[in-house]
Amino acid sequence: MKVIFWKHQSEILIALPFFLGCSLILIILGTILMIIQSLGFLGMLIFGIVMLFFSLIYGFVNPKIFSKVEYSENGIVCKRFNKILSSITWKDINSIRKIPLSRSMVNIAFVSNNDEIIVELTKKMYDTIMILCPEPYVKTQINEIEEFKWFH
């Protein structure tokens, strides 16, 4: 059984569409106002194009965006555009450490000798790991993280 989760889903669903939408609105509005009024609105058009350019670069160059984490009985695989970025089997996991982002948000890193996969742990992801992971050592380490005590 394989279960797939998107990494950085809030950036994919909220931030990237917001910036793309704002830049397209600026481009369309700047073009219309340039045609109706004068060339004084050229700055709005240029700012919209620059914003669109940087939004597309951020979305497709940043390896965190559009990447997925796949959990299976064998281990964890991180993919981006169906290309495997990193892979760790459950037996190879040496430690699980928390990475604080803010007061309320914490990511966890599954660390092996060769690789590291960082994920934002959610309730669904926690339940999936507890079902698919055959290693009690990994389950115990996740359960010992203070921020995830309310998951079990």
Side-chain angles (χ1 to χ4, degrees):
M1 179 172 120
K2 292 182 183 178
V3 181
I4 299 172
F5 294 96
W6 286 95
K7 288 178 72 175
H8 302 278
Q9 190 171 6
S10 60
E11 292 177 4
I12 295 170
L13 295 177
I14 297 169
L16 198 59
F18 175 75
F19 288 118
L20 290 174
C22 287
S23 62
L24 291 176
I25 287 171
L26 286 173
I27 291 171
I28 293 169
L29 194 61
T31 304
I32 291 172
L33 291 174
M34 268 182 40
I35 292 171
I36 294 174
Q37 294 287 329
S38 65
L39 290 177
F41 292 98
L42 182 63
M44 185 184 291
L45 177 68
I46 291 173
F47 183 72
I49 292 171
V50 169
M51 193 173 168
L52 177 67
F53 178 71
F54 282 117
S55 297
L56 290 175
I57 285 178
Y58 177 73
F60 290 104
V61 173
N62 189 353
K64 296 177 185 176
I65 309 289
F66 297 116
S67 59
K68 302 176 197 175
V69 178
E70 179 181 296
Y71 295 98
S72 67
E73 291 88 2
N74 300 328
I76 307 168
V77 177
C78 184
K79 293 182 178 182
R80 183 168 191 247
F81 299 125
N82 289 329
K83 179 185 173 189
I84 296 177
L85 299 175
S86 55
S87 176
I88 299 176
T89 62
W90 293 116
K91 291 179 183 177
D92 291 341
I93 294 176
N94 296 334
S95 66
I96 298 174
R97 60 184 171 90
K98 66 179 182 175
I99 303 170
L101 298 176
S102 66
R103 264 187 204 181
S104 61
M105 290 185 58
V106 174
N107 285 353
I108 61 169
F110 295 97
V111 182
S112 72
N113 291 335
N114 303 328
D115 239 339
E116 177 180 77
I117 297 178
I118 300 172
V119 295
E120 182 179 319
L121 194 63
T122 61
K123 175 73 171 142
K124 281 184 171 180
M125 211 177 288
Y126 174 84
D127 292 339
T128 302
I129 291 170
M130 292 302 146
I131 291 171
L132 293 177
C133 179
E135 296 294 319
Y137 172 72
V138 174
K139 292 179 183 180
T140 305
Q141 279 196 334
I142 291 175
N143 286 332
E144 288 176 356
I145 296 175
E146 185 66 33
E147 287 79 8
F148 306 127
K149 295 256 184 210
W150 62 277
F151 284 158
H152 50 86

